[in-house]
Amino acid sequence: MNEKIITFLNSGLLEKYLLGEISSEETEHVESYIARHPEVENAYNTLQFNLELVAKSNAVEAPKSILNNILEVLDEKPVISLNATKKYKKWHKIGIAASIAASIFAGQSYYLHSKNEKLSDENQVVVDEIFDLRSDIEMNNKRLDDIMHQFKQLNDPETYKYIMQGNSRAKNLKTVAYINAKDKTSMIDVVSLPQLPKEQCYQIWAELQGEMVSLGILSETDRQLRALPYTEDALGLNITIEPKGGNTIASLENSVAKIQLK
């Protein structure tokens, strides 16, 4: 790899291009490098894969009913149509006519009051739905920030990738650990875990000098990129089969996968 390509890869333009944070002139510059240099194209594909991995692990399906409910309520016209007042024949006695007029007025008043209450309730529904949407937007913005943070961690040159594959006890087990000793961060992506009996679980450990420190329980239902406690001076990682709920001491005789750390 020549010095020109190395300088380009270290410039950060490729990451900014993928996130859409560069000018049109820089975009042309980046795309020409991707087209002309296989090394740059390979780096770009790796960045894309890492971004998709982070986005997929944080993906949350938005509720489908919220927008429909708001549109339905807003589509209703808050206009009350009143029928034209009917003409009545003159009554011989003023008292009877007054009573009928009062009854009609009371009926219309009750009708208007009921419609106003219904409209008030519907308006409150709209307010509540909008409030929920704002909360969802704030939550999604926070999740997006977390995704971008994870993406940058994955693509940090100081982040090392370790693939852990199962032994004969768990042949289909596969997890990927990402460890950055400089920032003191570690993450794990659970790719696949063979099913265990209900009374057992997988537990991951950090290996120190003569000691095993628990980093948590791994679950097939929790297949996403997630943080692991960072352990200073860890020599390796080990996954064991333990009783349901985890153990305080690693059952090394039930080890199913392990790696040495750099």
Side-chain angles (χ1 to χ4, degrees):
M1 188 182 298
N2 62 47
E3 185 176 349
K4 187 177 181 181
I5 295 177
I6 294 174
T7 302
F8 174 79
L9 291 176
N10 291 334
S11 68
L13 281 176
L14 202 56
E15 290 85 350
K16 292 181 180 179
Y17 170 75
L18 189 59
L19 297 174
E21 297 178 350
I22 60 175
S23 65
S24 57
E25 183 178 346
E26 290 173 325
T27 298
E28 293 180 2
H29 178 60
V30 171
E31 290 177 348
S32 68
Y33 262 77
I34 294 174
R36 289 188 288 111
H37 303 289
E39 300 95 330
V40 177
E41 182 182 10
N42 183 57
Y44 172 68
N45 290 335
T46 300
L47 288 173
Q48 271 194 318
F49 174 81
N50 288 341
L51 181 59
E52 289 173 3
L53 173 64
V54 174
K56 183 179 179 181
S57 68
N58 289 274
V60 174
E61 185 177 357
K64 297 179 180 179
S65 60
I66 292 180
L67 182 58
N68 290 335
N69 290 342
I70 292 179
L71 292 177
E72 287 177 4
V73 173
L74 293 177
D75 191 50
E76 295 181 6
K77 298 179 180 179
V79 178
I80 301 173
S81 300
L82 299 179
N83 295 327
T85 306
K86 296 182 179 179
K87 296 182 179 179
Y88 292 91
K89 294 181 180 180
K90 292 183 180 180
W91 297 87
H92 294 292
K93 295 187 178 180
I94 297 177
I96 296 176
S99 298
I100 293 175
S103 298
I104 294 173
F105 177 77
Q108 290 180 337
S109 297
Y110 176 77
Y111 173 77
L112 289 173
H113 177 72
S114 299
K115 294 292 286 185
N116 285 335
E117 282 192 340
K118 182 181 179 182
L119 182 59
S120 178
D121 292 340
E122 291 173 347
N123 287 339
Q124 186 60 46
V125 169
V126 173
V127 171
D128 292 340
E129 297 286 6
I130 292 175
F131 179 80
D132 290 341
L133 279 176
R134 287 176 177 172
S135 299
D136 289 341
I137 290 172
E138 291 176 359
M139 189 188 321
N140 288 335
N141 285 339
K142 183 180 182 304
R143 291 182 65 83
L144 182 60
D145 290 340
D146 292 340
I147 288 174
M148 290 298 100
H149 178 67
Q150 288 181 339
F151 176 67
K152 289 179 180 179
Q153 279 185 299
L154 286 180
N155 293 288
D156 190 323
E158 298 294 332
T159 298
Y160 288 88
K161 177 181 178 180
Y162 301 91
I163 298 176
M164 301 183 69
Q165 293 183 313
N167 56 24
S168 58
R169 294 189 183 92
K171 293 182 179 179
N172 294 327
L173 183 149
K174 184 177 181 181
T175 64
V176 184
Y178 300 89
I179 299 178
N180 188 313
K182 180 180 179 181
D183 294 337
K184 301 186 185 303
T185 59
S186 58
M187 299 182 294
I188 190 166
D189 177 29
V190 178
V191 180
S192 62
L193 288 176
Q195 189 171 0
L196 288 173
K198 293 183 179 179
E199 65 274 9
Q200 293 180 327
C201 68
Y202 293 103
Q203 191 167 353
I204 185 168
W205 308 82
E207 179 184 349
L208 298 175
Q209 293 287 356
E211 183 181 2
M212 301 296 287
V213 178
S214 175
L215 301 181
I217 294 173
L218 301 180
S219 172
E220 177 69 20
T221 59
D222 189 31
R223 291 181 58 187
Q224 60 179 350
L225 189 66
R226 66 181 180 89
L228 279 181
Y230 179 78
T231 307
E232 190 76 38
D233 299 325
L235 302 176
L237 296 177
N238 200 321
I239 298 176
T240 61
I241 297 177
E242 303 292 348
K244 182 179 180 180
N247 212 341
T248 55
I249 300 176
S251 303
L252 295 180
E253 67 276 10
N254 292 329
S255 175
V256 293
K258 63 180 180 179
I259 56 168
Q260 298 297 314
L261 300 180
K262 295 180 180 180

